Amino acid sequence: MSMSPEDAVRYETRDGVALLTIDFPPVNALGAPMREGMALRLTQAQDDPAVKAIVVVGANDRFVAGADIREFGKPKVGPELQQIQQMLEDSPKPVVCAIDGHALGGGLELALATPFRVAASRAKLGLPEVHLGLLPGAGGTQRLTRLAGPEVALDLILSGRHVSAAKALELGLVDEVTAGPVTDAAIAFARGKAAEGGAFPKLIERTDKTRNIDPAFFETVRQKNAMAWANTVAPTKIVECIEAACTMGPREGLQFEREAFQVCLEAPSRAAQVHLFFAERGAAKVDGLAPDAKPKVIAKVGVIGAGTMGGGIAMSCVNVGLPVVLLEASQEALDGGLAKVRTNYDISVQRGSRTQAQVDKAVGLITPTLDYADLADCDIVIEAVFEDMGIKREIFGKLDKVAKPGAILASNTSALSIDEIARATTRPGDVIGTHFFSPANVMKLCEVVRGDLASDMTIATAMAFAKQIAKVPVLAGNCEGFIGNRILRIYGTEADILLEAGATPSQVDGALKNFGFPMGLYLMRDMSGLDVGYRMRKARIAAGTEDPNSPNYLHRLWDRIVEAGRLGQKSGAGYYKYEGRNASADPQIEAMLTEIAEEKGIVRQSFTEDQIVDRILAAMVNEGAKILEEGIAQRASDIDVTYVFGYGFPKYRGGPMFWAQQRGLDKVLEIILANHAAYGDRWKPAPLLERLVAQGQGWDGTPTA
Ligand code: 3H9
């Protein structure tokens, strides 16, 4: 149901001050009713002779979260934001924005068009449009540059980060910060300005911070980032707009920004990033849970295993103030794990991303122990030891004896059956998978793996807990590899087949890098080390579960690389040869590939980058469609979130399933069918994909035409 403009912006007067309260749930975005309401109420305030000043405030302790993202790509309705800004800027009565909660994007731009701003000390301000593939399109690039200079504008707009009220005051974004009720402070401020009278400041007319800027400054920024920005539009346009603020007059600058905004709006990267914005929020929701399955409160966490994963998980918890009991099997392992945690924090202090005081507080929240009894009062315990079902079952058996009733028992397994682990306890309904990604203190994804036995309450709590520790949760069903690693296996297989068929590691990696992955597959393997996978394979061969002489055995190259003593970056050679960290292609690898092709009777051919990317991505999408149909993922967009936040899939492509839909599901099916004809069963098209193409529908069943 749409809201009336009168309700979207309420009006009252307090002793000569008009109070305009924006009340447009959930986040006071600048939707059409809100813009109409602002126009209406501003006129009302100007027309009222008893009103001497105007204060604009957001309801529910939040200012304005920016443009209504749901309106992008739809026909425009109601007044434009720029018209409201003009009314604010030209107001003969002083206008003050009272900022609490967030003033983001168009919300901050609205505030920058008013002459004065007062912020609550807990408020956050920012121009995060870049995360949506956009730039601030309502004067943000122009007014912020004129207010704070091009360096600050570039920093804030390109990073999209939020700044605190204190920082905003230092930069001049706000005129006053208050620890008390912001509306009262803003009213008092407005009264003072009304009493002073005179002309009120217009940021758009300032030139003191934009005069005499060397054009080389902007050129350097562009050159430094040329590679990283190659596939996106917004960052380059942001630099152009900030430069325009330094070289053009107010009207021209605003027009320049408007046109640049339109270019971004129409770019595929914008659609992809807006898709991800909603996909991330959608992924946190679980369909079909019992209505009374409310998340339990998590106030204390246990982590079993102080290795790389366990240490990273513990850091994620203490970073948000949650105390952690960290358990290891030996004092030596415990000391080593804690030392690694401290080293990680030292690096963040050196980089300036944390203060020593913050780090001391975080480390102080970790209680190391060797005794399971110390886990007794934890609300959730996460096991993060190596992948061995026997050991995990033993740990869960012990946990069952000490954990308090109702505690969530979670496993960080990336491969093993969560139901089998759950059966080692007398309370399988409380057991769940929480699959973190390495380094766990950095990577945002947490696959919450729901076994058949997990209760709704356990699922709801694990999802909420992941959000609590600032992760992006995605619910996955219990199958080999869950969502992410199941697709990764297909992706790796297809890349290995391409190598045998004629490509080289640097060609495959180059194609993936140019597509936007931060790192190619083979560089990644080299970085992780090749010996562990090799040893696991040899064990499978010894056990008779893998046959190295089968035509389907794709690891001859990997095996030969390891057998030649090349263990990856750490030994100076793997798929590449290394000088320090610098990798270069190695003719020895090509020779090995030629040899393997001869043994297998394969005639090597050449591939273009597009062929490589199409083949790898189509295989991923086909597997994604199977995962979706089996109910392992709740929605196609959950697979996108998994790949972007856990596997480095470029954000501006929206994830593999979104990429497929942008490309056309019919086109992707054509690639799959051609490969099916050429290579047989592993390319069998997912029935869901065939059905959607036949019915002309997208992943969510809506018509694609
Ligand atoms: C812009 O401003 C362009 C201008 O420069 C140019 C104009 C001409 N619109 O995140 P949450 C929904 S671009 C519509 O879970 P939190 C969200 O989908 C915009 N809906 O809450 C969710 O819906 P649901 C620049 C929005 O408290 C619900 O609100 N601004 C918008 O954790 C709650 O969201 C931004 O990029 C929106 N703008 O965090 C800010 N924002 O319940 C984007 C949220 O159905 N927003 N929703 O799932 C945020 O960063 C966070 O939402 C915020 C609150 C920090 C505000």
Side-chain angles (χ1 to χ4, degrees):
M1 204 180 66
S2 76
M3 194 178 222
S4 76
E6 288 83 356
D7 286 340
V9 184
R10 296 196 306 268
Y11 186 86
E12 65 186 283
T13 53
R14 288 198 196 165
D15 219 1
V17 177
L19 187 63
L20 278 53
T21 305
I22 297 166
D23 192 358
F24 191 52
V27 289
N28 295 336
L30 292 153
M34 200 272 232
R35 297 194 305 273
E36 279 177 48
M38 278 297 288
L40 181 89
R41 298 314 194 180
L42 280 171
T43 308
Q44 192 174 349
Q46 299 298 357
D47 290 349
D48 184 345
V51 166
K52 303 290 177 238
I54 302 167
V55 167
V56 182
V57 65
N60 302 319
D61 299 335
R62 49 168 97 219
F63 192 62
V64 174
D68 189 335
I69 302 169
R70 291 164 304 188
E71 285 183 356
F72 293 156
K74 296 193 183 141
K76 283 185 181 154
V77 184
E80 292 201 71
L81 178 56
Q82 287 83 351
Q83 287 168 257
I84 314 295
Q85 290 176 306
Q86 196 68 56
M87 291 173 83
L88 292 165
E89 212 153 36
D90 293 344
S91 170
K93 301 176 184 181
V95 188
V96 181
C97 282
I99 300 173
D100 203 348
H102 286 99
L104 300 177
L108 180 56
E109 292 176 293
L110 181 87
L112 291 177
T114 57
F116 306 109
R117 292 156 295 280
V118 172
S121 48
R122 64 186 173 186
K124 300 267 188 229
L125 297 85
L127 293 170
E129 285 87 342
V130 70
H131 298 309
L132 300 171
L134 284 170
L135 53 85
T141 63
Q142 304 303 296
R143 291 192 178 88
L144 181 61
T145 310
R146 287 172 159 87
L147 168 74
E151 242 171 289
V152 171
L154 279 175
D155 170 30
L156 290 192
I157 302 176
L158 285 175
S159 71
R161 70 191 163 88
H162 303 174
V163 295
S164 65
K167 184 73 187 170
L169 185 67
E170 184 190 317
L171 294 173
L173 264 74
V174 297
D175 303 284
E176 188 178 296
V177 172
T178 176
V182 73
T183 307
D184 294 349
I187 289 176
F189 191 95
R191 281 206 185 105
K193 289 297 166 189
E196 275 174 28
F200 305 118
K202 291 186 183 183
L203 284 180
I204 198 68
E205 289 175 356
R206 270 177 69 169
T207 54
D208 52 308
K209 294 270 172 60
T210 51
R211 260 182 253 130
N212 306 326
I213 306 293
D214 183 354
F217 168 72
F218 297 103
E219 202 38 48
T220 311
V221 175
R222 272 188 280 267
Q223 277 175 13
K224 224 170 90 187
N225 294 290
M227 281 264 282
W229 295 349
N231 292 315
T232 54
V233 180
T236 317
K237 289 280 166 202
I238 287 169
V239 179
E240 284 175 15
C241 287
I242 293 173
E243 189 170 14
C246 300
T247 55
M248 294 181 186
R251 202 180 297 247
E252 284 170 281
L254 287 172
Q255 184 55 30
F256 186 89
E257 181 200 76
R258 228 180 143 108
E259 286 163 17
F261 181 79
Q262 198 56 32
V263 173
C264 296
L265 200 60
E266 285 161 17
S269 47
R270 192 278 302 163
Q273 285 174 259
V274 169
H275 160 75
L276 272 178
F277 178 84
F278 290 114
E280 183 185 337
R281 280 150 184 86
K285 296 178 180 138
V286 182
D287 296 335
L289 284 188
D292 61 348
K294 299 275 176 275
K296 295 177 188 171
V297 173
I298 303 290
K300 189 168 185 182
V301 182
V303 176
I304 301 180
T308 314
M309 285 310 291
I313 295 168
M315 286 174 77
S316 301
C317 297
V318 295
N319 286 345
V320 299
L322 268 177
V324 171
V325 178
L326 184 61
L327 182 138
E328 253 299 350
S330 72
Q331 191 62 47
E332 196 188 348
L334 197 54
D335 292 345
L338 278 170
K340 181 84 182 106
V341 166
R342 283 203 191 91
T343 308
N344 286 339
Y345 276 130
D346 286 347
I347 294 169
S348 58
V349 172
Q350 278 155 25
R351 280 201 193 127
S353 59
R354 278 173 212 280
T355 62
Q356 190 59 49
Q358 285 170 326
V359 164
D360 292 344
K361 191 170 162 212
V363 175
L365 285 170
I366 302 178
T367 309
T369 186
L370 300 173
D371 186 355
Y372 272 77
D374 290 337
L375 299 171
D377 61 347
C378 292
D379 303 302
I380 183 169
V381 182
I382 305 164
E383 162 276 311
V385 306
F386 54 90
E387 297 286 16
D388 180 307
M389 182 57 88
I391 294 178
K392 295 212 189 237
R393 283 180 59 89
E394 193 187 317
I395 288 175
F396 274 76
K398 281 190 198 164
L399 253 184
D400 192 22
K401 295 201 174 67
V402 297
K404 68 181 181 187
I408 305 293
L409 310 183
S411 172
N412 178 51
T413 181
S414 62
L416 303 174
S417 166
I418 199 71
D419 284 327
E420 207 179 324
I421 297 174
R423 281 194 205 95
T425 72
T426 56
R427 37 175 141 174
D430 296 342
V431 178
I432 195 145
T434 47
H435 179 208
F436 292 87
F437 290 73
S438 189
N441 51 315
V442 176
M443 297 297 285
K444 298 285 281 179
L445 181 68
C446 175
E447 264 183 313
V448 173
V449 186
R450 131 199 244 167
D452 290 340
L453 308 170
S455 75
D456 282 6
M457 181 92 87
T458 301
I459 296 169
T461 307
M463 295 293 283
F465 166 70
K467 273 196 93 174
Q468 189 181 351
I469 60 169
K471 299 294 169 200
V472 177
V474 172
L475 188 68
N478 187 22
C479 70
E480 205 185 320
F482 317 131
I483 299 175
N485 282 347
R486 180 164 152 184
I487 295 179
L488 184 66
R489 196 169 54 81
I490 300 292
Y491 159 16
T493 299
E494 217 45 51
D496 288 343
I497 291 172
L498 278 164
L499 287 198
E500 289 191 349
T504 63
S506 42
Q507 275 166 1
V508 172
D509 281 357
L512 293 170
K513 187 114 198 281
N514 288 338
F515 179 78
F517 279 93
M519 188 184 276
L521 177 73
Y522 296 104
L523 264 179
M524 205 161 73
R525 279 190 191 165
D526 273 356
M527 238 177 82
S528 321
L530 302 174
D531 42 338
V532 177
Y534 173 83
R535 274 202 309 274
M536 282 166 67
R537 219 161 32 248
K538 288 289 153 189
R540 287 199 297 273
I541 291 169
T545 53
E546 190 149 349
D547 175 8
N549 298 313
S550 149
N552 294 331
Y553 185 76
L554 288 170
H555 296 121
R556 283 191 200 188
L557 178 65
W558 186 333
D559 290 352
R560 273 173 216 192
I561 290 177
V562 174
E563 281 154 15
R566 306 168 67 117
L567 307 182
Q569 207 191 82
K570 61 186 170 189
S571 71
Y575 284 93
Y576 296 89
K577 58 182 176 191
Y578 292 86
E579 266 179 51
R581 286 170 156 210
N582 292 333
S584 57
D586 189 342
Q588 273 192 42
I589 299 296
E590 286 192 43
M592 284 183 193
L593 281 168
T594 311
E595 200 179 274
I596 292 167
E598 273 166 20
E599 287 163 19
K600 286 192 156 185
I602 297 169
V603 180
R604 281 172 67 75
Q605 59 182 103
S606 59
F607 294 95
T608 64
E609 279 206 351
D610 284 349
Q611 284 172 323
I612 293 172
V613 167
D614 274 359
R615 196 152 143 188
I616 291 177
L617 286 204
M620 290 171 79
V621 171
N622 201 28
E623 193 65 15
K626 291 175 190 169
I627 283 175
L628 197 55
E629 189 151 39
E630 289 167 28
I632 297 296
Q634 293 188 93
R635 339 172 164 83
S637 56
D638 287 6
I639 299 174
D640 291 332
V641 172
T642 303
Y643 259 74
V644 167
F645 291 100
Y647 295 83
F649 198 97
K651 279 191 175 161
Y652 52 80
R653 306 256 189 208
M657 307 305 267
F658 184 81
W659 169 86
Q661 194 152 305
Q662 258 192 346
R663 179 82 192 263
L665 294 189
D666 52 342
K667 302 277 181 314
V668 176
L669 181 60
E670 271 172 29
I671 302 171
I672 293 168
L673 288 171
N675 282 317
H676 189 212
Y679 306 110
D681 256 7
R682 74 169 199 279
W683 276 94
K684 200 169 173 331
L688 173 69
L689 181 59
E690 290 187 301
R691 227 171 31 248
L692 292 175
V693 171
Q695 293 166 357
Q697 292 173 336
W699 296 118
D700 63 359
T702 52
T704 46

